[in-house]
Amino acid sequence: MGLVVRVGGFGFTAKMMNDQDLGFFANLLGVFIFILVIAYHYVLADPKYEGN
Amino acid sequence: MEVSEDQKKAASKSLQSAFGSAICFLTLLLIGVLAFSIRLFSVIKYESVIHEFDPYFNYRVTQFLIKNGIYDFWNWFDDRTWYPLGRVIGGTVYPGLTLTAGSLWWFLNSLNIPLSVETVCVFTAPIFSANASWATYLMTKEVKGTGAGLAAATFLAMVPSYISRSVAGSYDNEAVAIFALIFTFYLYIKTLNTGSLFYATLNALSYFYMVCSWGGYTFIINLIPMHVLLCIATGRYSSRLYVAYAPLVILGTLLAALVPVVGFNAVLTSEHFASFLVFIIIHVAALVSYVKGILTPQKFKVAMTLVVTIGMAVCVTAVAVLVAAVAASPTKGWSGRSLSLLDPTYASKYIPIIASVSEHQPPTWPSYFMDINVLAFLVPAGIIACFLPLSDASSFMILYIVTSAYFSGVMVRLMLVLAPAACIMSGIAISEIFHVLTRSIKFEKNKSSGNPSSAGDITTVGNSITQSNKRKSEKQSEDHNLKEISYQRPSKKSKRKEKENSETVLRRFKKEKRLLVLPLEVSIISVVLIVLLGGFYVRHCVWAAAEAYSAPSIVLTSRSQDGMHVFDDFREAYSWLSHNTDNEDKIASWWDYGYQTTAMANRTVIVDNNTWNNTHIATVGTAMSSPEKEAWTIFQSLDVKYVLVVFGGLIGYPSDDINKFLWMVRIGGGVFPHIKEADYLRDGQYRIDSQATPTMLNSLMYKLSYYRFIETDGKGIDRVRGTEIGKKYFKLTHFEEVFTTHHWMVRIYKLKSPKNRIRGKLKKAKSTNPTGNGRKTRVNPWH
């Protein structure tokens, strides 16, 4: 389900986001955030000062 | 050389910290975007429309507030509902949501952004979901650190349980209340950790916002005293605890009493007594702590014996007075809702209206997996992590998850309160896992790269590490230990002394602690598997948001081979009412549709979703359960002009009035004993086919639902009940059909006018009556 919208007078058409596009975007963003959280833990992990 | 080494280390540390802050900021920004965008499925799949039933009332109230201003809003008496009783809106509504959306609309309009009230109302919930995610980050950061905070915020942004009550269009109290709940808890923990009166004051103000927003504020004012009591009982009393609790009780109660719907309930109802009781107890604990400090141990023992003896006598007297004060109330001062939470069987026994609401039923086991998914088995790991080490903040979290898990088992709608606790616990668990894995990866990487600065450190502890790998003992991170020690500091003034003590303790920790390091391959595979687990969670949450929780209820859809069909019967019916009836006409229907009728059709209704008057609802229920003539008499006495029923038998819509009919009978029969549930059941079964009882077949609800239904397919097959109806050909004597929607989902009938002349039969009945007074003893109060 989607809608084709004509934007401007130069023959440019923009397709509005449909629910499948939003689903894909949300899935991608969710996993990316998860990876960012892991990256944060990796950056701040400091084994030198732990357990010494 | 040493200086430059230290400078290099310091520079590296600050770079690490800066990079970490940048990642943290970016992650929080993206979490806000995710929390907002995942809730937009309903707008994209359907339209920007208010959902369900209660949001329509909130929308109508917001419209009134914006049009008439706050003073008229406080003093608003609504005569278009609960006719002829009316409803005092200002004194019975929680104004937080309305004032929030109204303020947002006013702010946007002052910036010349002309959004309509409906648009602001539709998008209020997604905006506050992003705020709630950030509040979760702040709260978890106070408990277990920034990493846990980010993980918890990520979970909360997408948890289906919260999405179900905060999609775009779900303009209900929970949309802002959950943010207020988490933020209040955050400020409480912040005050507990810092002992700052500034945060204590903010905590009271946040609690006030929560009281304005939702009746669930009683959860806060009971959970926090429980935690304070737990801390006192486990010997964790400190001045920080006093600063965190005492101002909240005083300021919070005073502010709560300002909200009209709460008023003096803040000091009169049993829901608030726990806070006052613990207020007394904390003062006793403070006094004991002070006296202990100034007396010798022997003198303290003597003093304690004396005080306990006198104190017990005073306590017993006080409790006796309290019990006598509340014993006069049949519910012992508790509201019906609170009692139904404390005793899950209470509502079904005494308050059928509460028991009849579908979201008040206990949840099934699969609904836990549907609503919190992966978090369900991360929560126990989080609870264990909270014990290692146990702090005031982590003990609060344990209490929160335990109590919310209990209440979620009583009522399915309280899964919403469980969701933040589950997200925080899961965030803590996941963060602990990531700490170990990322540390192992970095450690193994440093070892394999042969880093000289780290090699020295590694060799000095090489033996202990080897031993720990073999024994796999418990690990303690430096951050957590330092945090634990810092949160045990009593005040800022003794900071230096405490710092020296903490360093001594830290050195001891360093000697006793062992480092748990996993092999590189194991760590990497574990990280990949956890990302996969996270991927499953994300996928489930997006599916739940898109398919399960985005339906607006007012518009239904179905997919078939021909494509998608849209059932817009509700709005069709309300539109018909709005255009074809007079402004002063009264509409009778079951209470479910009251809010929508007043908001969309702009007509006066008899009962609505507020369900504050059980007798009035029972009157409507009795009318629906009675034969046509008696029902007409009841509606005539209420000045009703039109009756609206919802019927799903043609298209297979299961939430219609025929399926709700038994509740009408029960609620009606609870007040008017001539309505008996057994009369509507055949051998204990609820039937509408040829085996249905005569009482059922003659009831108004049956007749209004199935009138002319035989004309649809010639057989009268009800697609919801899956059977042919019992009575197929009948006429209505006291009602006339005026409108039926396209898919027969909503049917509107008009009451026929009363006859003008008295018929001969009535004169004969009067003349043959031996008493001559024209009356006979009747059970039905409307005869």
Side-chain angles (χ1 to χ4, degrees):
Chain A
M1 198 167 62
L3 185 69
V4 177
V5 174
R6 183 175 283 278
V7 175
F10 302 99
F12 172 72
T13 52
K15 190 164 170 269
M16 192 170 82
M17 187 182 250
N18 62 15
D19 56 327
Q20 281 158 358
D21 292 339
L22 180 62
F24 176 76
F25 169 73
N27 276 311
L28 193 66
L29 188 58
V31 174
F32 181 64
I33 289 172
F34 219 66
I35 291 169
L36 273 180
V37 170
I38 298 173
Y40 177 85
H41 282 86
Y42 180 79
V43 163
L44 286 189
D46 202 352
K48 286 192 296 182
Y49 296 106
E50 290 166 355
N52 290 336
Chain B
M1 262 316 266
E2 266 190 36
V3 171
S4 66
E5 274 295 316
D6 286 339
Q7 278 179 343
K8 274 186 188 174
K9 281 181 187 177
S12 155
K13 192 88 180 150
S14 65
L15 185 69
Q16 206 177 22
S17 172
F19 198 38
S21 299
I23 294 178
C24 180
F25 179 75
L26 177 67
T27 309
L28 284 173
L29 196 65
L30 291 177
I31 284 170
V33 169
L34 177 66
F36 186 86
S37 55
I38 202 173
R39 287 160 169 82
L40 298 182
F41 280 99
S42 57
V43 172
I44 286 179
K45 287 174 79 171
Y46 300 88
E47 59 183 286
S48 173
V49 69
I50 304 279
H51 293 195
E52 301 279 338
F53 304 104
D54 286 7
Y56 274 97
F57 169 74
N58 296 323
Y59 169 55
R60 184 167 158 255
V61 172
T62 310
Q63 281 181 311
F64 185 92
L65 168 72
I66 285 167
K67 188 177 165 193
N68 300 289
I70 191 159
Y71 291 107
D72 284 347
F73 166 70
W74 281 137
N75 298 319
W76 183 18
F77 178 82
D78 187 9
D79 59 353
R80 304 209 34 104
T81 182
W82 293 92
Y83 184 85
L85 307 169
R87 178 185 169 182
V88 178
I89 298 285
T92 57
V93 76
Y94 285 97
L97 173 72
T98 311
L99 293 174
T100 304
S103 305
L104 204 57
W105 178 88
W106 174 85
F107 175 70
L108 290 169
N109 271 266
S110 66
L111 296 176
N112 290 321
I113 303 172
L115 290 178
S116 68
V117 178
E118 189 183 8
T119 306
V120 172
C121 291
V122 164
F123 290 101
T124 296
I127 290 170
F128 274 81
S129 302
N131 293 343
S133 303
W134 294 326
T136 307
Y137 159 74
L138 291 171
M139 183 174 167
T140 317
K141 189 178 156 197
E142 287 301 313
V143 179
K144 275 291 185 183
T146 309
L150 290 175
T154 309
F155 286 136
L156 189 88
M158 323 184 248
V159 66
S161 174
Y162 186 29
I163 286 178
S164 68
R165 307 292 296 204
S166 60
V167 289
S170 182
Y171 182 55
D172 210 349
N173 292 343
E174 291 91 342
V176 299
I178 295 300
F179 160 70
L181 178 92
I182 300 170
F183 199 63
T184 305
F185 284 155
Y186 155 64
L187 287 169
Y188 171 69
I189 293 176
K190 184 78 176 175
T191 316
L192 202 55
N193 288 339
T194 58
S196 162
L197 204 53
F198 170 69
Y199 285 110
T201 313
L202 286 182
N203 187 21
L205 291 172
S206 178
Y207 171 68
F208 173 52
Y209 182 55
M210 178 67 187
V211 174
C212 288
S213 302
W214 195 32
Y217 76 89
T218 52
F219 181 66
I220 296 182
I221 206 58
N222 283 284
L223 182 66
I224 291 180
M226 272 171 65
H227 177 248
V228 170
L229 204 59
L230 178 73
C231 286
I232 293 171
T234 52
R236 298 182 76 94
Y237 171 78
S238 64
S239 58
R240 287 174 292 110
L241 186 71
Y242 184 86
V243 171
Y245 184 65
L248 173 67
V249 172
I250 301 299
L251 271 178
T253 304
L254 286 171
L255 290 170
L258 291 178
V259 182
V261 70
V262 175
F264 280 104
N265 285 344
V267 293
L268 289 177
T269 54
S270 299
E271 280 95 343
H272 303 85
F273 283 170
S275 62
F276 302 134
L277 188 66
V278 175
F279 185 72
I280 296 169
I281 292 173
I282 199 173
H283 281 90
V284 171
L287 183 66
V288 166
S289 173
Y290 172 71
V291 167
K292 198 173 181 182
I294 59 174
L295 290 179
T296 61
Q298 294 86 0
K299 283 184 182 171
F300 177 70
K301 235 182 190 175
V302 169
M304 275 301 293
T305 316
L306 187 68
V307 165
V308 163
T309 317
I310 298 172
M312 284 294 289
V314 170
C315 276
V316 164
T317 318
V319 165
V321 167
L322 197 66
V323 165
V326 299
S329 157
T331 59
K332 309 294 176 267
W334 292 95
S335 68
R337 282 195 176 177
S338 301
L339 279 170
S340 61
L341 287 176
L342 295 171
D343 176 8
T345 61
Y346 182 84
S348 56
K349 281 188 258 178
Y350 302 109
I351 319 176
I353 281 184
I354 291 180
S356 71
V357 180
S358 61
E359 60 184 12
H360 290 178
Q361 307 308 313
T364 56
W365 284 110
S367 65
Y368 278 93
F369 195 70
M370 170 69 182
D371 277 350
I372 57 173
N373 200 247
V374 155
L375 310 185
F377 54 83
L378 284 176
V379 161
I383 294 174
I384 293 171
C386 280
F387 279 102
L388 306 170
L390 187 70
S391 65
D392 292 343
S394 62
S395 68
F396 177 78
M397 274 315 307
I398 293 164
L399 205 57
Y400 180 17
I401 187 73
V402 166
T403 49
S404 59
Y406 167 74
F407 288 123
S408 71
V410 175
M411 262 190 208
V412 69
R413 73 178 294 190
L414 294 178
M415 293 280 285
L416 180 63
V417 178
L418 174 67
C423 292
I424 291 168
M425 283 307 193
S426 306
I428 290 171
I430 279 284
S431 179
E432 292 296 312
I433 296 169
F434 287 154
H435 271 304
V436 173
L437 296 177
T438 53
R439 196 174 55 204
S440 305
I441 293 173
K442 244 189 181 174
F443 178 78
E444 293 290 335
K445 228 178 85 176
N446 286 343
K447 205 168 86 173
S448 60
S449 66
N451 191 343
S453 57
S454 60
D457 296 75
I458 291 166
T459 48
T460 52
V461 295
N463 290 333
S464 68
I465 288 169
T466 316
Q467 284 167 6
S468 75
N469 278 345
K470 284 179 185 169
R471 276 178 278 162
K472 290 209 175 168
S473 51
E474 285 180 4
K475 56 109 181 136
Q476 292 285 340
S477 70
E478 179 190 351
D479 289 342
H480 293 174
N481 281 329
L482 274 176
K483 211 180 271 290
E484 168 65 19
I485 289 156
S486 68
Y487 291 154
Q488 285 168 354
R489 291 179 194 172
S491 70
K492 282 185 179 177
K493 284 182 182 175
S494 57
K495 201 175 173 180
R496 270 188 219 161
K497 199 179 173 184
E498 290 297 329
K499 200 177 179 182
E500 287 168 22
N501 289 338
S502 71
E503 281 173 358
T504 316
V505 175
L506 182 62
R507 268 184 237 120
R508 226 185 303 133
F509 268 121
K510 280 181 179 173
K511 285 177 191 169
E512 294 167 358
K513 222 165 25 162
R514 290 175 184 87
L515 180 68
L516 180 67
V517 173
L518 300 170
L520 181 67
E521 299 80 13
V522 170
S523 304
I524 291 174
I525 290 170
S526 303
V527 167
V528 168
L529 287 176
I530 291 179
V531 170
L532 201 64
L533 184 77
F536 280 128
Y537 175 72
V538 170
R539 193 164 174 273
H540 170 80
C541 294
V542 172
W543 169 84
E547 301 296 332
Y549 295 134
S550 63
S553 298
I554 191 133
V555 175
L556 306 169
T557 56
S558 76
R559 287 191 185 275
S560 67
Q561 284 171 346
D562 305 329
M564 195 171 76
H565 295 276
V566 176
F567 301 93
D568 208 358
D569 287 48
F570 286 105
R571 292 196 294 185
E572 186 186 342
Y574 300 132
S575 179
W576 185 92
L577 280 173
S578 175
H579 290 107
N580 295 280
T581 61
D582 291 335
N583 201 35
E584 295 306 314
D585 287 341
K586 281 64 174 176
I587 316 294
S589 68
W590 193 231
W591 60 261
D592 289 31
Y593 319 108
Y595 281 159
Q596 285 185 346
T597 308
T598 35
M600 278 192 274
N602 193 25
R603 292 289 175 267
T604 306
V605 295
I606 306 300
V607 289
D608 68 18
N609 310 60
N610 186 235
T611 64
W612 68 272
N613 191 315
N614 188 53
T615 306
H616 218 49
I617 293 176
T619 308
V620 174
T622 303
M624 296 296 191
S625 313
S626 303
E628 219 182 313
K629 187 179 174 215
E630 282 81 358
W632 180 91
T633 312
I634 294 170
F635 283 138
Q636 189 70 11
S637 72
L638 292 170
D639 289 343
V640 171
K641 192 89 175 279
Y642 296 91
V643 178
L644 183 150
V645 295
V646 171
F647 173 64
L650 183 67
I651 57 161
Y653 173 63
S655 300
D656 64 355
D657 283 354
I658 289 287
N659 269 357
K660 294 174 193 173
F661 183 59
L662 269 188
W663 283 110
M664 299 181 198
V665 169
R666 283 174 195 143
I667 292 169
V671 178
F672 304 105
H674 69 279
I675 301 289
K676 296 181 186 56
E677 188 180 341
D679 294 343
Y680 299 83
L681 303 174
R682 173 74 70 189
D683 300 328
Q685 278 192 341
Y686 179 54
R687 302 180 77 134
I688 51 96
D689 55 10
S690 53
Q691 296 300 310
T693 60
T695 318
M696 178 69 202
L697 295 175
N698 284 325
S699 66
L700 182 72
M701 179 52 68
Y702 182 94
K703 284 190 169 177
L704 297 188
S705 295
Y706 293 116
Y707 179 63
R708 288 193 314 110
F709 186 55
I710 191 69
E711 294 172 16
T712 56
D713 60 356
K715 289 182 186 173
I717 295 176
D718 185 331
R719 288 195 175 92
V720 176
R721 272 55 64 173
T723 179
E724 278 188 28
I725 59 174
K727 205 178 208 178
K728 295 179 184 177
Y729 301 96
F730 56 88
K731 285 187 181 170
L732 296 173
T733 53
H734 291 72
F735 294 83
E736 60 174 319
E737 184 188 5
V738 290
F739 184 69
T740 294
T741 56
H742 184 64
H743 299 100
W744 284 55
M745 279 177 67
V746 184
R747 308 193 70 183
I748 302 173
Y749 295 84
K750 187 176 176 181
L751 265 71
K752 285 185 178 172
S753 304
K755 292 186 172 39
N756 283 329
R757 57 190 179 88
I758 299 169
R759 289 203 172 261
K761 276 185 187 174
L762 196 55
K763 275 187 181 171
K764 262 191 191 171
K766 276 186 178 176
S767 64
T768 55
N769 192 325
T771 59
N773 61 4
R775 284 188 174 193
K776 55 183 177 181
T777 310
R778 294 181 195 277
V779 177
N780 186 330
W782 283 284
H783 282 162

